Amino acid sequence: MSLSILNNPFKNKGTAFTPDERHELGLEGLLPPHVQSLDEQVAQTFAQYQTKPTNLDKRQFLMAIFDENRVLFYKLFSEHVADFMPVVYDPTIADTIENYSKLFVDPQDATFLSIDRPEDMTTALKNAADGRNIRLIVVTDAEGILGIGDWGTDGVDIAVGKLMVYTAAAGIDPAQVLPVVLDVGTNNQHLLDSPLYLGNRHKRVTGERYDQFVDQFVTTAEELFPDLYLHFEDFGRDHAAALLNRYQDRYTVFNDDIQGTGIITLAAVLGALKISKQSLADQRYVCFGAGTAGAGIAKRVCDEYVQQGMSVAEAKAHFYMVDKQGLLFDDDPTLTPEQKPFARSRDEFDQPEKLTNLAAVVAAVHPTILVGTSTQPGTFTEAIVKDMAAHTDRPIIMPLSNPTKLAEATAEDLLTWTNGRALVATGIPAQDVTVNGVTYQIGQANNALVYPGLGLGVIAANATTLNDDMISAAAHSLGGLVDTSKPGAAILPPVTQLSQFSNTIAEAVVQRAIDQGLTKTPITDAKKTVAYTKWVPKY
Ligand SMILES: NC(=O)c1ccc[n+]([C@@H]2O[C@H](COP(=O)([O-])OP(=O)(O)OC[C@H]3O[C@@H](n4cnc5c(N)ncnc54)[C@H](O)[C@@H]3O)[C@@H](O)[C@H]2O)c1
Ligand SMILES: O=C(O)C[C@H](O)C(=O)O
Ligand SMILES: [Mn+2]
């Protein structure tokens, strides 16, 4: 019993156990005599954290604390959110995924579901829940981890990391969450060849068996955990939108890459327009990399046009999608269902056959908004950016591909090339940039700025569904928080305020659920409901 408490991160307080507790729990002699307060533990561990030379070392150190003591981990995280985000989450999480099998020491309470053992599904989920009331699952099949591709079982860390941010940012109870990886194999040859690889050593299963396995997972999880909010993360382009469409009317589900990214990028656009004092109606939008995120964002921004009073056809006329083949045309048989609504007609252009790359499209279209979700580093070149900036005063440019090594451009280059005129947000955190004596703060257009608050709202409301209205409310609540009074202001609120605006988002989402009658039980006060639901790290 005594050792099981020290080994249970949900119950362990380590040196903070009082003499009475030590006596009651049979811990006499199992801890050093001095009793520390939580604050003392936080100060000591933070000092130790600061001695670690690299972000990967820092993360390893924090994960050891996570494995031992959740309260301490989240108290520490919540006091240093902006500091820890790039270490616990993106971009360092990409390094941990790329080295997962090599660095493995602990499964970190994740659930590993193998397509080769579907008969174990129920038992596995029950084992992992261990009697806990699970309200939130982040599930991945790891086919499209960030922009780094297929990582099989090793992609489980994205589910673990996303959940850490949920709790640190929005106070989701860490005892009510479950990270899940669906190991359906991997097409990553490097993993298949690696003697250390911990996942199933075969190619990805696709088709009917894949669909059945995912379906078995969704229905089993929903049955075991009836108040579940199910977050899909980093599925491949062929599955992400299809799965969202399949389940969103039946269950309370969310796709972060489609919807989370859509919300944050719309919020960034609205923030930018607040600064430039322009209207959405006057924008021309180019998406570079029309995959899961690119199409998800375009849909969200397009819906905003419609909400502001345009017809769907008028709204779509503002969008130009570019993928590997160049501008997407409606006669292209390879278009995905998500790309189709935005494909253009060749008749609109003098020389459509020339529009096979981003530079040609920018030259032809003169976009005012350029969003990068292509996974192709450095593709927002100086020539392209200068061409764009020659036709608009305040070009809105967002290189969103993660991690750092895949970004389409750096904030510094974008501001330098445009003499400070570009309104920029990046996927990963970026330092301030000074151009001509003005210091520009760079907003982070990463879905981590919205999914925690959105999730807290959905969970607090115990919403029966997550619909477009609630999603739109989340985006708008964030846009209102941008401080445009100073020159160089960022187009999104800073990560240092993540806890505050997660709360704002959650309240807006609960209110919208109440207004639409979508709460499982009657709720009257959104603010109180959110406050009541939040978990606080304390002993
Ligand atoms: N900032 C955020 O919050 C956020 C959220 C989601 C995704 N992302 C990033 O966006 C990127 C894409 O993610 P995704 O989930 O959409 O992946 P995806 O695979 O679904 O989409 C990538 C798209 O880029 C296209 N592409 C590849 N090479 C190209 C090229 N040379 N020119 C033009 N297009 C090209 C692909 O064909 C595909 O359609 C990743 O780097 C990911 O980290 C960022
Ligand atoms: O994980 C992130 O940093 C954001 C996003 O979900 C992505 O896939 O890149
Ligand atoms: Mn993602």
Side-chain angles (χ1 to χ4, degrees):
M1 146 111 168
S2 43
L3 278 178
S4 70
I5 290 227
L6 292 183
N7 288 327
N8 182 339
F10 297 107
K11 295 194 172 144
N12 186 25
K13 303 182 188 178
T15 54
F17 278 121
T18 63
D20 283 352
E21 288 170 332
R22 294 179 191 205
H23 177 65
E24 235 166 74
L25 300 167
L27 299 174
E28 297 100 330
L30 300 185
L31 291 159
H34 179 70
V35 176
Q36 284 184 306
S37 68
L38 179 56
D39 286 341
E40 282 170 338
Q41 289 180 318
V42 166
Q44 183 219 320
T45 42
F46 187 61
Q48 209 180 329
Y49 165 86
Q50 286 174 305
T51 67
K52 304 293 172 193
T54 68
N55 279 351
L56 191 54
D57 291 319
K58 286 190 164 92
R59 193 173 193 283
Q60 296 290 94
F61 172 70
L62 291 178
M63 290 315 108
I65 297 174
F66 176 82
D67 290 338
E68 281 168 27
N69 182 337
R70 290 291 196 298
V71 170
L72 174 56
F73 174 81
Y74 283 114
K75 181 76 175 168
L76 191 57
F77 195 166
S78 60
E79 287 188 6
H80 302 280
V81 171
D83 232 21
F84 281 20
M85 280 295 278
V87 173
V88 170
Y89 179 65
D90 202 7
T92 309
I93 199 161
D95 301 335
T96 70
I97 291 168
E98 288 173 331
N99 292 287
Y100 183 84
S101 289
K102 197 163 78 188
L103 299 174
F104 183 88
V105 280
D106 188 285
Q108 298 183 314
D109 298 307
T111 317
F112 301 82
L113 300 177
S114 164
I115 197 158
D116 300 332
R117 301 192 62 87
E119 67 278 13
D120 289 351
M121 178 96 67
T122 305
T123 312
L125 285 166
K126 280 187 179 165
N127 286 346
D130 197 21
R132 293 177 293 143
N133 171 25
I134 300 300
R135 300 291 313 273
L136 170 63
I137 285 178
V138 174
V139 62
T140 185
D141 78 351
E143 188 174 5
I145 293 290
L146 312 171
I148 58 175
D150 181 349
W151 285 89
T153 266
D154 294 2
V156 69
D157 250 6
I158 199 65
V160 175
K162 292 265 170 184
L163 283 168
M164 288 171 174
V165 177
Y166 265 111
T167 297
I172 301 293
D173 184 344
Q176 298 192 333
V177 308
L178 213 57
V180 174
V181 61
L182 303 178
D183 185 337
V184 299
T186 179
N187 295 341
N188 182 333
Q189 198 57 42
H190 159 79
L191 292 182
L192 292 171
D193 293 342
S194 162
L196 287 177
Y197 179 52
L198 294 168
N200 285 327
R201 285 153 191 271
H202 56 70
K203 293 270 184 207
R204 268 182 190 274
V205 173
T206 56
E208 207 173 315
R209 229 182 110 210
Y210 173 90
D211 287 340
Q212 271 171 10
F213 184 62
V214 176
D215 209 53
Q216 185 192 354
F217 162 68
V218 174
T219 49
T220 308
E222 294 288 345
E223 213 172 281
L224 288 174
F225 315 119
D227 291 330
L228 182 66
Y229 176 51
L230 183 52
H231 167 145
F232 287 84
E233 188 69 46
D234 290 353
F235 283 68
R237 195 180 85 166
D238 290 343
H239 296 129
L243 291 174
L244 179 63
N245 294 339
R246 188 177 310 157
Y247 297 113
Q248 66 182 351
D249 294 334
R250 254 186 288 167
Y251 304 114
T252 313
V253 299
F254 165 68
N255 184 296
D256 189 31
D257 301 289
I258 297 170
Q259 297 169 304
T261 319
I263 297 171
I264 192 65
T265 312
L266 170 60
V269 167
L270 296 175
L273 294 176
K274 207 166 148 187
I275 293 174
S276 69
K277 301 194 170 53
Q278 291 184 10
S279 74
L280 196 57
D282 294 331
Q283 309 305 310
R284 279 179 307 282
Y285 181 112
V286 166
C287 156
F288 183 60
T292 305
I297 300 165
K299 182 190 176 305
R300 171 71 18 231
V301 179
C302 186
D303 283 359
E304 179 70 17
Y305 276 92
V306 175
Q307 211 172 304
Q308 292 191 9
M310 270 189 198
S311 71
V312 174
E314 283 168 337
K316 278 185 192 156
H318 295 256
F319 290 80
Y320 301 84
M321 308 289 265
V322 182
D323 209 272
K324 283 179 188 159
Q325 61 269 56
L327 186 66
L328 299 185
F329 288 114
D330 53 11
D331 58 359
D332 178 346
T334 69
L335 295 183
T336 69
E338 293 68 44
Q339 291 170 341
K340 268 192 190 135
F342 295 104
R344 311 291 305 207
S345 158
R346 287 184 189 272
D347 313 340
E348 298 174 50
F349 301 91
D350 291 340
Q351 294 180 298
E353 69 286 355
K354 296 236 164 102
L355 301 178
T356 54
N357 58 64
L358 182 62
V361 174
V362 167
V365 167
H366 298 160
T368 60
I369 302 175
L370 176 60
V371 175
T373 44
S374 67
T375 74
Q376 301 301 306
T379 41
F380 291 178
T381 61
E382 182 169 357
I384 288 173
V385 169
K386 284 191 163 159
D387 187 18
M388 178 179 175
H391 300 96
T392 176
D393 276 353
R394 303 302 307 267
I396 300 170
I397 310 181
M398 296 192 249
L400 300 187
S401 287
N402 295 319
T404 319
K405 64 186 177 194
L406 300 182
E408 286 84 0
T410 64
E412 187 176 8
D413 278 345
L414 294 173
L415 282 156
T416 308
W417 295 336
T418 59
N419 246 315
R421 288 190 292 124
L423 291 159
V424 178
T426 51
I428 30 101
Q431 300 291 322
D432 291 357
V433 176
T434 303
V435 176
N436 301 335
V438 179
T439 298
Y440 296 85
Q441 283 162 346
I442 314 300
Q444 190 182 352
N446 188 299
N447 47 37
L449 275 80
V450 296
Y451 74 72
L454 181 69
L456 176 61
V458 172
I459 290 167
N462 207 354
T464 52
T465 188
L466 169 61
N467 65 16
D468 272 346
D469 253 28
M470 289 150 84
I471 285 176
S472 171
H476 281 270
S477 70
L478 200 57
L481 296 174
V482 177
D483 172 11
T484 55
S485 59
K486 290 184 217 86
I491 64 178
L492 283 167
V495 177
T496 47
Q497 290 167 19
L498 184 55
S499 311
Q500 290 100 297
F501 61 73
S502 291
N503 209 73
T504 308
I505 296 169
E507 288 171 0
V509 170
V510 174
Q511 190 57 54
R512 201 56 72 94
I514 294 173
D515 296 345
Q516 298 180 93
L518 295 175
T519 65
K520 279 190 195 158
T521 50
I523 297 174
T524 46
D525 189 324
K527 269 188 201 304
K528 274 194 195 147
T529 305
V530 168
Y532 171 80
T533 308
K534 267 170 107 163
W535 177 86
V536 180
K538 62 175 196 298
Y539 293 134

